[in-house]
Amino acid sequence: MFEVMNSAVTRNDWVGRIIDGRFPLLELLGNSEQAGVFRTELDGDSHQRAVIRLVAAEDAEARLRDWKQAATLSHPHLMRIFDSGRADVGGVEVLYVVTEYAEESLAQVIPERPLSTVEAREMLVPVLDALAHLHSRGLVHGRIKPANIMVAGDRLKLPIESLRRAGAIPRPQRELQNYDAPELESGTILPASDVWSLGVTLAEALTQHAPSWDRATRRDPAVPAEIPEPFAAIVVACLRYDATRRATTAGIRALLNPSPSLQEPTNEMDLAAPAVNAMHEPADEAPNKTRMLAIGAAILVVLAVIVYAMMRSHPSQQPSHSAPPSAQAVQAPAQAVTPAPAPPPSDQKPQSSNGTVKGEVAERVMPEVSASANRSIHGKVDVAIRVNVSASGAVENARLEAGGRSRYFTAKALDAARRWRFTPAQKDGRDVASVWSVRFQFRRSGPEVHAVEVTP
């Protein structure tokens, strides 16, 4: 499933077309020689956001078969595949696959700051769980890297449209990256290949740069000295040039959470897959209550990490798999409407001037922000919303005026502002429309808001 093409598959002017009579191309999220990625919606009244990936119709039967098989997988940390098939777009035959929409990725966190050791530990848990699920079925993810560690809904997930069966593959015609294990160059892919990619990703997450490595040396990469334990030991165990000497997902778990009676393995082979069976691992154990609680805690911490990226990233920044949603598209939970308290000194009060009486805030809605999102705030996040108020006092339109570096908090501010109610302004004794600037400040202690009437 290594998509290798000689020219770009899609064009910007395809936005607005409908694929297979069901999937509208609503927004171009990314375009490359490998594929074109668009935002789309699923059938039905819910208008659920999704991603549709268009690729050239090469090796079509095998690719469609792989997508159909991947769609049968069910795991809380694997992205869902909703549909796949063939289509003709502007006279170009393409294959398409429709998957869940990912709001953010780890690739947007790393340029801003490295993960803490707590965040790195909790990031590893769901990724290891998903990989163990795949490896026990003889499958290899093949694309583990920060851009493919994503948040969809409220879970950390891995995309699965590029899964491969362990074993021989065509030699890649693209330039290999540090994330690509040494054996890929010779046309072999193994579960141990995912372990290599995870080791590079973990090192990059903790240091903000991938380990330097010369593929031609055929030696193990040097592990950056600043990586703390137990992560340094994990990276070393992952980045063995010899695939049979790399740790399995179970071995990584043992290094991450050593038994009290055995703080470190007796030798590296206790952690590595057997040489004669390097592509298979034991099936997942049945989950118990303790494990489910641990996974739940991991999800909450990882979500806090990605929300931090949402706070810091620019709206135009996009993950390779899919771009972040626009501020208006991010869904927010229902929020309570409360009567407006006495306005603070910075809020406008009714004033008479030349027959004009300014309006007032009648009901204000405060954004509801999760505890994990609040914990991700360092300092404050400012979002200013320009609100158009009708002569009846209802909000007709709300749009971003300033701020907006975080799509998450921008969406919360927009959703709250749209629910405000106002006592309308008056001119010559008649109610008139007005424009307000509503500025939200998100802090760890909770959001604050100040409103100023701009006109009339």
Side-chain angles (χ1 to χ4, degrees), residues 1-3 53 67 140-143 159-164:
M1 289 189 183
F2 295 104
E3 296 93 2
R53 181 182 179 91
W67 285 343
V140 182
H141 186 275
R143 292 290 181 87
I160 58 173
E161 63 267 22
S162 296
L163 296 183
R164 295 301 300 259

Side-chain angles (χ1 to χ4, degrees), residues 253-337:
R253 283 195 183 100
L255 287 171
L256 188 63
N257 301 297
S259 169
S261 61
L262 184 63
Q263 291 301 312
E264 57 185 55
T266 56
N267 58 68
E268 67 181 38
M269 296 308 294
D270 291 337
L271 300 175
V276 296
N277 196 26
M279 69 178 67
H280 298 290
E281 291 186 319
D284 299 339
E285 297 179 358
N288 53 42
K289 183 177 180 180
T290 301
R291 182 184 178 197
M292 293 307 293
L293 288 174
I295 293 175
I299 293 171
L300 289 176
V301 176
V302 174
L303 183 58
V305 176
I306 305 300
V307 167
Y308 178 83
M310 295 165 64
M311 178 185 72
R312 298 295 305 272
S313 59
H314 189 276
S316 64
Q317 189 175 7
Q318 300 175 343
S320 62
H321 174 72
S322 64
S326 65
Q328 292 83 351
V330 177
Q331 297 178 348
Q335 300 164 324
V337 178

